Amino acid sequence: NAGVMQNPRHLVRRRGQEARLRCSPMKGHSHVYWYRQLPEEGLKFMVYLQKENIIDESGMPKERFSAEFPKEGPSILRIQQVVRGDSAAYFCASSPSAGQGLSYTFGSGTRLTVV
Amino acid sequence: GENVEQHPSTLSVQEGDSAVIKCTYSDSASNYFPWYKQELGKRPQLIIDIRSNVGEKKDQRIAVTLNKTAKHFSLHITETQPEDSAVYFCAASNRGRSGSQGNLIFGKGTKLSVKP
């Protein structure tokens, strides 16, 4: 079992460009969660998705950020027109189906740097 | 929604001493409380968790206690070692819509330093 796979590990974007972060959950996991971690800070919830559904996006900024988890392929966190304040580590986690608890497994993260 | 407060933000202990990190939560419906350890530049990793039907759980040098009435839970590390140095995060489950599975809300973390 390869665990939660995130790519790229490091991403550098110029201000105004788009950033696309990918997350493949663990095999058998159907729930995906995205968190943002600023330097020296905690994990801030962004969005919770199941296949083809956004369950909770209460932590997502209202503009420029979007997320999807299509029927086939990885979950994508998309940040349009990036600004320096978007620089952070973005972690994805997955968990088994509902009813089996919230036992998260985290990916290694994508470290986004906006220059 | 759920809100989790964690303290202290930094903790320094001598090797062999015990370390205690405390968290409080706001939503009485939360029923799952994990603790994660994050080493510098690495992913958070689950070290222990507790569910609301249990008051205490122990795994070797690590223990977690839960007081549902007071809505607080604590991580206890005994006989600390330098390799325990890391940032530790507590979390509480957030109630999902219509009682469905929600997500985890994390505390801001405690940076633990164990001095040899």
Side-chain angles (χ1 to χ4, degrees), chain A residues 12-103:
Chain A
V12 179
R13 284 288 178 266
R14 295 186 185 278
R15 281 179 295 171
Q17 290 185 319
E18 178 180 289
R20 292 172 70 89
L21 288 60
R22 298 175 188 79
C23 170
S24 296
M26 280 184 70
K27 188 176 181 180
H29 286 193
S30 58
H31 298 239
V32 167
Y33 314 81
W34 285 93
Y35 286 80
R36 176 163 64 177
Q37 186 175 36
L38 294 168
E40 304 292 319
E41 292 194 13
L43 295 152
K44 186 176 179 185
F45 169 73
M46 299 182 75
V47 63
Y48 161 29
L49 312 103
Q50 294 179 26
K51 286 283 187 181
E52 301 184 278
N53 281 305
I54 296 175
I55 306 302
D56 183 348
E57 56 181 346
S58 59
M60 288 279 271
K62 294 286 185 271
E63 297 177 345
R64 301 188 298 107
F65 285 72
S66 62
E68 62 177 4
F69 189 14
K71 187 176 181 181
E72 301 292 337
S75 175
I76 306 286
L77 179 67
R78 182 182 178 202
I79 311 172
Q80 295 178 291
Q81 299 175 332
V82 296
V83 301
R84 287 218 171 115
D86 296 333
S87 296
Y90 291 83
F91 286 96
C92 164
S94 69
S95 71
S97 301
Q100 297 185 40
L102 286 162
S103 181

Side-chain angles (χ1 to χ4, degrees), chain B residues 64-81:
Chain B
V64 57
T65 58
L66 171 64
N67 184 327
K68 285 184 63 181
T69 303
K71 289 190 282 189
H72 68 69
F73 56 113
S74 301
L75 178 72
H76 304 252
I77 306 174
T78 58
E79 299 172 27
T80 54
Q81 301 167 3

Side-chain angles (χ1 to χ4, degrees), chain B residues 38-104:
Chain B
Q38 186 179 30
E39 296 176 351
L40 189 63
K42 297 190 175 180
R43 75 183 76 190
Q45 291 194 299
L46 178 70
I47 55 171
I48 195 167
D49 57 12
I50 191 167
R51 298 189 185 275
S52 58
N53 58 347
V54 176
E56 184 175 356
K57 184 176 178 181
K58 191 173 181 180
D59 182 4
Q60 300 183 342
R61 297 186 297 108
I62 294 173
V64 57
T65 58
L66 171 64
N67 184 327
K68 285 184 63 181
T69 303
K71 289 190 282 189
H72 68 69
F73 56 113
S74 301
L75 178 72
H76 304 252
I77 306 174
T78 58
E79 299 172 27
T80 54
Q81 301 167 3
E83 49 266 40
D84 294 330
S85 297
V87 179
Y88 291 81
F89 293 98
C90 63
S93 59
N94 193 36
R95 179 169 30 183
R97 293 178 304 183
S98 304
S100 65
Q101 178 168 309
N103 54 276
L104 290 176

